């Protein structure tokens, strides 16, 4: 186990946080985790758990105020020590593998990362820190191919991938520990999130990947003439939603974080053409994608809106902000 108090990778300092809530974010250097840590730092003591420092640039500019633990979420013995060292008021669980294709390549690893890790956290809280709140981050992939749109919190789930199945099992573990042990559990599912700091060199996030290729002036390819739609949501709206769930969400409840807006992919492609030098090409859907793709998707966010939240960034603005980020970071 390696423990970091980071200042420019060299200096080490101990911070004292007496009046703030102590919040642990697993996967805290990632896309959602880094943005969330930045916001929560204003009023809380934030500890990030990460298996790698490869994404340390995601917290550049505010890492001095973070405590970062380098520990693999699957290493339960080391995780136990870390969690006891930082007895948290809130644990926000975002860590795990996120590739549905890799979940088929390494199914047992996916179980450890996306299912057993959640069960471990629940057991730790039950045994050692029962007043701790656990907030689980999940994904729209758990639904599978919806038979009716928009989906909501009561929509049946029939996931088409091992990844989706393990994420769904994590949700059920949380519900069971709430019902049986009375733990304070909240769950959120995110639709297609995009924006600064998301992975862009990988197809794991198709939206950011295509924005990045357009930024570089490369040809972008979209399946089936772009005649399918998804529910895009910009990262700042995701973060404000999670904050609202932390403060106003009800224990034992699930919330959809979505725009509740259909974005047709051919429109998405046309926006990228208009904003960049990219060219749009339509291709046939690969066989693997046909087997696992969820198809058209949009989620009803009225339950989350009832807490006093609403999305603020539309698609054009979000794409422009993401392109500006690539430019400011000199990303090529």
């Amino acid at each position: 186990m390696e423990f970091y108090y980071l200042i420019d990778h060299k200096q080490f300092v101990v911070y004292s946080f007496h009046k703030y809530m102590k919040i642990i974010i697993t996967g805290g250097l990632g896309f959602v985790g880094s943005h969330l840590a930045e916001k929560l730092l204003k009023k809380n003591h934030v500890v990030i758990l990460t298996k790698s420092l490869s994404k340390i640039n995601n917290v550049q500019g505010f890492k001095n105020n973070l405590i970062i633990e380098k520990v693999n979420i699957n290493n339960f013995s080391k995780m136990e020590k870390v969690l006891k060292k930082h007895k948290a008021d809130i644990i926000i669980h975002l860590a795990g593998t996120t590739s549905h294709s890799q979940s088929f390549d390494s199914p047992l690893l996916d179980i450890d990362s996306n299912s057993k890790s959640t069960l471990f956290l629940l057991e730790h809280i039950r045994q050692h820190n029962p007043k701790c709140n656990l907030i689980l981050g999940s994904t729209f992939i758990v639904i599978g191919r919806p038979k009716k749109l928009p989906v909501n919190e009561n929509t049946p789930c029939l996931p088409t991938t091992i990844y989706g199945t393990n994420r769904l099992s994590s949700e059920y573990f949380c519900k069971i520990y709430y019902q049986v042990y009375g733990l304070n559990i909240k769950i959120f599912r995110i639709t297609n999130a995009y924006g600064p700091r998301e992975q862009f060199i990988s197809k794991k996030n198709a939206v950011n990947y295509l924005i990045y290729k357009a930024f570089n002036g490369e040809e972008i390819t979209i399946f089936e003439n772009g005649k399918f739609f998804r529910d895009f949501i910009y990262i700042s709206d995701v973060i404000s939603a999670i904050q609202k769930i932390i403060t106003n969400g009800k224990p034992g409840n699930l919330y959809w974080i979505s725009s509740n807006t259909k974005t047709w992919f051919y429109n998405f492609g046309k926006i990228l053409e208009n904003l960049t030098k990219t060219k749009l090409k339509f291709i046939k859907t690969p066989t693997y994608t046909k087997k696992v793709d969820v198809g058209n998707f949009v989620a009803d966010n009225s339950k989350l809106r009832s807490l006093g939240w609403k999305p603020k960034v539309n698609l054009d603005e979000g794409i422009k902000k993401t392109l500006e980020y690539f430019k400011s970071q000199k990303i090529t």
Side-chain angles (χ1 to χ4, degrees), residues 42-65:
K42 295 178 181 179
K43 295 183 179 181
N44 304 282
H45 169 189
V46 178
V47 179
I48 279 178
L49 307 189
T50 180
K51 67 179 180 181
S52 167
L53 295 177
S54 63
K55 298 178 183 177
I56 193 66
N57 285 339
N58 279 351
V59 296
Q60 193 70 33
F62 59 93
K63 68 175 182 282
N64 291 5
N65 297 320

Side-chain angles (χ1 to χ4, degrees), residues 82-246:
V82 170
L83 294 175
K84 286 181 177 179
K85 181 185 294 183
H86 304 285
K87 190 174 182 180
D89 300 295
I90 300 172
I91 297 175
I92 304 170
H93 186 31
L94 304 176
T97 54
T98 59
S99 170
H100 56 77
S101 60
Q102 288 180 7
S103 74
F104 287 101
D105 295 334
S106 304
L108 298 182
L109 174 62
D110 199 82
I111 289 175
D112 286 344
S113 299
N114 292 321
S115 188
K116 287 174 67 176
S117 66
T118 304
L119 190 57
F120 163 78
L121 288 173
L122 288 164
E123 269 296 282
H124 174 85
I125 291 171
R126 182 183 72 83
Q127 294 180 30
H128 304 291
N129 192 10
K131 293 183 179 179
C132 178
N133 296 352
L134 178 65
I135 300 175
L136 175 70
S138 191
T139 169
F140 72 100
I141 298 297
V142 301
I143 293 287
R145 296 187 182 96
K147 296 181 179 179
K148 182 181 179 181
L149 293 173
V151 301
N152 60 32
E153 287 78 8
N154 297 317
T155 298
C157 296
L158 291 170
T160 58
T161 65
I162 293 170
Y163 164 65
T165 302
N166 286 321
R167 285 293 190 184
L168 183 60
S169 72
S170 284
E171 292 186 17
Y172 277 106
F173 290 150
C174 287
K175 292 176 182 178
I176 290 168
Y177 273 67
Y178 166 74
Q179 293 166 359
V180 176
Y181 300 114
L183 297 189
N184 192 325
I185 306 295
K186 300 168 189 174
I187 304 166
F188 62 83
R189 294 176 184 159
I190 308 176
T191 54
N192 284 101
Y194 68 103
R197 302 181 195 164
E198 174 56 303
Q199 295 183 52
F200 52 84
I201 58 174
S202 165
K203 295 182 180 180
K204 287 194 291 186
N205 184 307
V207 180
N208 256 53
Y209 176 74
L210 292 175
I211 296 174
Y212 169 69
K213 286 180 72 70
F215 169 75
N216 270 347
E218 300 175 35
E219 181 181 76
I220 60 173
T221 57
I222 295 177
F223 303 145
E224 302 300 331
N225 293 320
K227 293 181 179 178
F228 62 98
F229 59 80
R230 290 289 175 83
D231 189 327
F232 291 11
I233 184 159
Y234 188 69
I235 185 60
S236 62
D237 288 328
V238 172
I239 300 308
S240 65
I242 297 172
Q243 288 181 286
K244 186 63 68 173
I245 291 167
I246 291 172

